[in-house]
Amino acid sequence: MNKFRLNQILEILTFPYTDTGLIQKDALAEREDAYCAYLDHTERFSVKGRGETSKRYEEAQKNFGKYLCRICSGRPKSLDDVLLVGEKFFSHNRITEDMSHKWKGAARREMVVKCYIDNIFWIANSLLTSRDGILAIRTWKNKAGREFPEDILGTSSAFDKVEIWNTLTRIVTPDLFLAAFVAMNGNRMEMFYK
């Protein structure tokens, strides 16, 4: 796997856990808010409002792409490339499937935060396992399930998973994913102490 590309993908995946400025300005939350405003005007058949919210959404989408380009340590190929990676991990469908279009403001932002938390568990489920009660790197591909449709990066090679884990732990502390894995498996705290 190309190390530059892997690093770029993981930086985009983990931006919610590494960017301290996210508390003040969350480009993804702004994009989703603009998208939902567009959907609201579309449902009401408001032509004028739909045109304005469409422009607002396009601007928010572009700002989100620029933000993703800024957080990448290397120079991305293109804005579209970065937006496609962002859409894989933070898609409109995942965020809005739980969201009623009638929700406003803070409740919509909570759906973005829920997506951030869901990704923590998705990463943990894809990359970690328990062998004899001890946490270990999962070197095989998970079967598609109801909660997680596939591995987070869709890889099946044992070497790739180890490389992904090593790169991931250089970007963000692994404790976040270890705690999520333990929580997913019944809070068996003895997994931490062996």
Side-chain angles (χ1 to χ4, degrees):
M1 183 176 275
N2 181 340
K3 286 186 183 256
F4 170 76
R5 180 69 173 156
L6 176 62
N7 200 47
Q8 180 185 26
I9 290 169
L10 291 176
E11 286 172 338
I12 291 171
L13 172 62
T14 60
F15 84 84
Y17 325 116
T18 59
D19 185 7
T20 56
L22 207 61
I23 295 170
Q24 287 127 6
K25 182 174 173 147
D26 187 345
L28 178 62
E30 290 175 7
R31 180 190 82 164
E32 291 308 313
D33 194 45
Y35 179 69
C36 289
Y38 173 74
L39 291 179
D40 289 345
H41 285 285
T42 301
E43 286 178 357
R44 291 183 289 184
F45 301 106
S46 171
V47 176
K48 182 181 177 192
R50 189 173 62 192
E52 292 170 1
T53 56
S54 175
K55 287 177 187 171
R56 181 177 154 219
Y57 168 69
E58 288 171 11
E59 186 65 28
Q61 176 78 338
K62 191 164 84 172
N63 289 341
F64 180 59
K66 288 178 181 178
Y67 168 78
L68 292 178
C69 288
R70 272 195 317 272
I71 63 166
C72 291
S73 57
R75 185 170 181 223
K77 290 180 186 177
S78 69
L79 184 64
D80 285 339
D81 182 49
V82 169
L83 283 171
L84 285 172
V85 174
E87 185 63 23
K88 175 174 176 49
F89 303 123
F90 309 103
S91 73
H92 289 305
N93 292 339
R94 274 188 58 215
I95 294 171
T96 58
E97 72 184 12
D98 298 332
M99 185 188 311
S100 166
H101 298 303
K102 291 154 183 64
W103 290 11
K104 303 288 182 201
R108 286 183 171 165
R109 291 184 187 267
E110 288 174 10
M111 291 295 106
V112 174
V113 172
K114 180 183 180 301
C115 178
Y116 294 158
I117 293 169
D118 288 347
N119 279 355
I120 293 170
F121 286 94
W122 193 11
I123 293 167
N125 185 62
S126 297
L127 297 177
L128 297 173
T129 189
S130 173
R131 290 198 179 148
D132 298 325
I134 300 172
L135 288 170
I137 297 172
R138 182 185 306 267
T139 56
W140 61 90
K141 188 171 183 171
N142 281 346
K143 294 179 183 172
R146 186 177 63 85
E147 191 171 352
F148 303 106
E150 61 181 7
D151 279 349
I152 189 103
L153 296 174
T155 186
S156 59
S157 167
F159 176 75
D160 285 346
K161 289 235 181 163
V162 172
E163 184 179 4
I164 289 167
W165 181 256
N166 286 335
T167 305
L168 184 68
T169 58
R170 283 187 220 115
I171 296 170
V172 66
T173 180
D175 298 348
L176 189 61
F177 310 113
L178 299 174
F181 185 79
V182 170
M184 284 176 8
N185 290 287
N187 293 327
R188 295 193 328 251
M189 298 304 286
E190 63 272 6
M191 290 176 144
F192 285 126
Y193 303 117
K194 289 187 179 185

